[in-house]
Amino acid sequence: MRGRPPVRSHRGGGLAADVATALTGPGPLPGPLYDTAVRTLGQEALDAIVFVIVHYLALGVVLNAYDVQAGSPAPARK
């Protein structure tokens, strides 16, 4: 699944994936994509996608700061 786009079961899902991909790339969200997202999904849905992506990226920064590997076991409790 890594590196491949999600299965687009409906227009909104594919559009959300396109927005998420653009947000994690260089530069601003392209105007036509922004306009299509607002028209198709609504402003609140676009805001929610941005909110989720921001938190996803922030979590990645925190995990990188402490060199936490994917699937690392939790430390043993004393």
Side-chain angles (χ1 to χ4, degrees), residues 1-9 13-14 17-18 21:
M1 186 80 182
R2 183 186 306 192
R4 291 184 284 156
V7 174
R8 296 172 185 238
S9 58
D18 291 345
T21 299

Side-chain angles (χ1 to χ4, degrees), residues 2 9 11 15 18-19 22 28 33 39 41 51 56-58 63 71 74 77:
R2 183 186 306 192
S9 58
R11 170 88 172 120
L15 183 55
D18 291 345
V19 169
L33 181 55
R39 185 175 55 254
L41 305 173
F51 181 81
Y56 176 82
L57 294 172
L63 294 175
R77 289 190 152 172

Side-chain angles (χ1 to χ4, degrees), residues 39-74:
R39 185 175 55 254
T40 305
L41 305 173
Q43 186 66 55
E44 287 185 22
L46 176 60
D47 294 346
I49 293 167
V50 171
F51 181 81
V52 168
I53 295 300
V54 165
H55 287 277
Y56 176 82
L57 294 172
L59 178 60
V61 169
V62 170
L63 294 175
N64 285 339
Y66 297 101
D67 196 22
V68 177
Q69 302 299 312
S72 296

